[in-house]
Amino acid sequence: MSDNDLKLQIALRGDMTKEYVDLHALGIALINIQTIFDRSYCFYTGRKRITSNDRESFKIVAYNVKRGSIIFDAGLTAFTLQQSLAITQTIDPKLIFKATVAGFKFLHKYFSQTNKNNVPTINITNSPGAVFNYNSDNNTISVSNDTLHISQAMRPALRRVATIFGQQPGELSINSQEYPKEDIVLNNDDAHLFKSNRVISNVPIILNGIVKSFSAENLTGHFDVGPGNAIPIGKYTFVVKDGSGSDINAFIESLKGNSLQVTAFVEYDVTPAIQSNITKLYLTPATTSDLSSVESA
């Protein structure tokens, strides 16, 4: 390991590594770990893609592989590229690592809060370098332009990494001893947040509205939400949650213009650069138990 390296530990743990190692899954993880860091490299060098010459100057290399869980003692190598920089500071492994972690943490916080039906407000700062701060009091995320751009570029690679997590418990972690509080951790509990551009909230809300169209065959339609609800006024596409197990007569009756109270799970098109849009509602007719559980949440 050279003096220009940043020491890393890359670990794949859990049932997926106990009895055997799925080489296909391992390959997906390792290739896309490099790609995730490549996005920061490209941002700070002004590159659109990594060339063969870039790869000679910037790569993750493993020095030791430990048995049991798949653990790599690795190094992030980057040579000084002062003349090609898009900004006026020397690129080094520490900058790449911190920017990549900030981008990941931004996406993770944004997606996980949206999953709770609590879409954060984004405050873009003029701070140089990678900045990420979350204020839980007002559900606001402050990020620099660096972090915002890098996070968006990372999403396809994170989506591919998320595909290795299925039914078996597992975790992928990337950290450096030099920054003990900064790491990237992805596991079965949160991998679903990165698997597509859409996030479905796991916190139900109660809505009042009128069914404007409905297909009893497909269990889909449009639901007109009026004022005073937890989401903006508008007509939303919906699908009946739990399929044929739900009482569809309530939706049919609402087609006559009758107001209907429903329990809704909201699907968002998660675009952290701007306010995320509601793309679909998953509905069931509200019951007394639904009302009490939502009120106490």
Side-chain angles (χ1 to χ4, degrees):
M1 179 175 285
S2 71
D3 293 336
N4 208 40
D5 286 359
L6 177 69
K7 293 181 180 179
L8 298 177
Q9 185 181 83
I10 302 169
L12 187 62
R13 300 181 174 91
D15 289 355
M16 63 176 66
T17 64
K18 284 184 178 179
E19 296 182 3
Y20 63 87
V21 177
D22 184 335
L23 294 181
H24 178 67
L26 179 61
I28 291 174
L30 295 180
I31 288 172
N32 286 288
I33 287 170
Q34 177 69 70
T35 303
I36 290 167
F37 283 91
D38 285 350
R39 297 309 95 203
S40 295
Y41 176 89
C42 285
F43 177 81
Y44 286 118
T45 58
R47 304 278 205 268
K48 291 185 177 180
R49 61 183 179 85
I50 297 287
T51 66
S52 57
N53 288 335
D54 288 320
R55 187 58 72 215
E56 290 301 313
S57 301
F58 177 71
K59 53 191 169 186
I60 298 174
V61 294
Y63 297 99
N64 184 36
V65 181
K66 300 176 182 179
R67 297 180 61 186
S69 298
I70 307 302
I71 301 176
F72 295 88
D73 290 326
L76 181 63
T77 300
F79 297 102
T80 301
L81 297 170
Q82 182 68 50
Q83 293 180 349
S84 64
L85 288 182
I87 59 174
T88 58
Q89 65 185 110
T90 301
I91 192 170
D92 61 38
K94 294 180 181 179
L95 172 64
I96 297 295
F97 178 77
K98 293 173 70 174
T100 304
V101 170
F104 173 81
K105 286 185 176 293
F106 166 51
L107 291 177
H108 189 280
K109 179 59 69 176
Y110 190 93
F111 295 165
S112 60
Q113 288 299 109
T114 300
N115 188 227
K116 299 174 184 176
N117 214 37
N118 190 30
V119 182
T121 299
I122 305 301
N123 177 32
I124 301 175
T125 72
N126 292 321
S127 303
V131 174
F132 163 78
N133 291 295
Y134 175 65
N135 187 332
S136 59
D137 291 337
N138 57 11
N139 193 34
T140 297
I141 297 176
S142 297
V143 292
S144 60
N145 274 309
D146 295 24
T147 301
L148 193 64
H149 283 87
I150 289 168
S151 68
Q152 295 306 298
M154 290 167 57
R155 290 182 72 179
L158 286 169
R159 187 177 302 122
R160 292 189 289 270
V161 171
T163 63
I164 71 174
F165 296 96
Q167 298 300 318
Q168 292 182 315
E171 179 180 278
L172 172 68
S173 65
I174 308 168
N175 58 71
S176 172
Q177 292 182 351
E178 294 190 43
Y179 301 99
K181 294 183 179 180
E182 302 294 327
D183 57 6
I184 292 173
V185 179
L186 197 60
N187 54 41
N188 289 73
D189 294 334
D190 53 16
H192 69 280
L193 299 174
F194 296 88
K195 287 186 175 180
S196 75
N197 285 333
R198 295 184 177 180
V199 167
I200 300 174
S201 67
N202 59 10
V203 177
I205 57 175
I206 297 296
L207 297 175
N208 290 284
I210 298 174
V211 176
K212 290 298 185 180
S213 66
F214 181 64
S215 168
E217 180 180 359
N218 299 321
L219 301 178
T220 60
H222 291 90
F223 191 69
D224 195 14
V225 176
N229 282 281
I231 62 176
I233 296 172
K235 187 166 67 173
Y236 298 92
T237 299
F238 78 88
V239 61
V240 177
K241 194 175 184 296
D242 302 326
S244 59
S246 297
D247 179 12
I248 65 171
N249 290 328
F251 295 97
I252 295 173
E253 283 298 311
S254 184
L255 284 169
K256 301 176 183 178
N258 301 323
S259 179
L260 176 64
Q261 190 169 69
V262 294
T263 301
F265 291 86
V266 183
E267 178 187 84
Y268 297 91
D269 179 13
V270 282
T271 309
I274 57 175
Q275 188 69 26
S276 291
N277 298 314
I278 296 174
T279 52
K280 188 181 295 183
L281 302 176
Y282 293 83
L283 305 181
T284 56
T287 64
T288 302
S289 60
D290 290 333
L291 293 171
S292 60
S293 64
V294 171
E295 287 173 358
S296 62

